[in-house]
Amino acid sequence: MTTPEARAAGLFLGAFNTAFEDDRRMTISVHTEGGTVSVLGQLSDNHRMTFQAEDVTFLVDRLANLLSKEKPQGSLTVTVPHLGHIRVPIDAWAWSLTADGSTEPLDPELAVILLPSSANFPQPDADLGNGIFHSTPSASMDSETLSELRRRGLTITDFDTA
């Protein structure tokens, strides 16, 4: 059985991999009735997304806590700004947690409650599932973040730079 911590790490990684395309910045957020927790990633010179390890720990803890409940209520979002682009300032992806602890795409009309109304949703039906990967995707993120996700029980194939 997969722990809520491993599933939370898997959802974090899945959300990242769904949205990442060598973007300069990215924000991953967990939204609950109690508020929002967000982590900001910045693209490094070696083309790895770098997050503050403490922020990732806090966000994954919040998400794991939600997933440990009988009926988790909350949502997960990713935003990527288009620096210098006025018409579509950000791309966004949004998922709600379901009663069984899985995820389902959050309708963009509902997601604008959590995100700017000008957000563009390039993949409104992107599926994250339940955070359990049979073949965990590799990730182009910094080693500290990957170590934190591994510590939670997620097996991650290192990003191949060759």
Side-chain angles (χ1 to χ4, degrees), residues 30-107:
V30 173
H31 308 270
T32 66
E33 287 182 355
T36 298
V37 174
S38 299
V39 295
L40 174 64
Q42 303 272 352
L43 193 64
S44 67
D45 291 338
N46 65 357
H47 299 286
R48 303 276 174 123
M49 188 62 69
T50 303
F51 297 93
Q52 291 295 316
E54 314 80 47
D55 295 344
V56 171
T57 298
F58 191 70
L59 183 136
V60 172
D61 282 346
R62 172 73 65 92
L63 190 52
N65 183 43
L66 282 172
L67 293 172
S68 68
K69 297 186 181 318
E70 188 174 323
K71 293 184 179 182
Q73 294 183 336
S75 59
L76 180 64
T77 62
V78 178
T79 56
V80 176
H82 294 286
L83 303 176
H85 197 290
I86 297 170
R87 272 191 327 137
V88 181
I90 66 169
D91 278 344
W93 293 259
W95 301 272
S96 62
L97 297 176
T98 62
D100 66 356
S102 188
T103 62
E104 62 185 19
L106 187 59
D107 186 297

Side-chain angles (χ1 to χ4, degrees), residues 22 60 161:
D22 289 333
V60 172
T161 57

Side-chain angles (χ1 to χ4, degrees), residues 79 87-90 92 108-121:
T79 56
R87 272 191 327 137
V88 181
I90 66 169
E109 290 179 9
L110 296 174
V112 296
I113 295 168
L114 305 170
L115 302 166
S117 61
S118 59
N120 175 51
F121 292 85

Side-chain angles (χ1 to χ4, degrees), residues 3-21:
T3 66
E5 290 80 12
R7 287 181 42 227
L11 289 174
F12 181 89
L13 180 63
F16 171 83
N17 280 332
T18 297
F20 183 68
E21 292 182 3

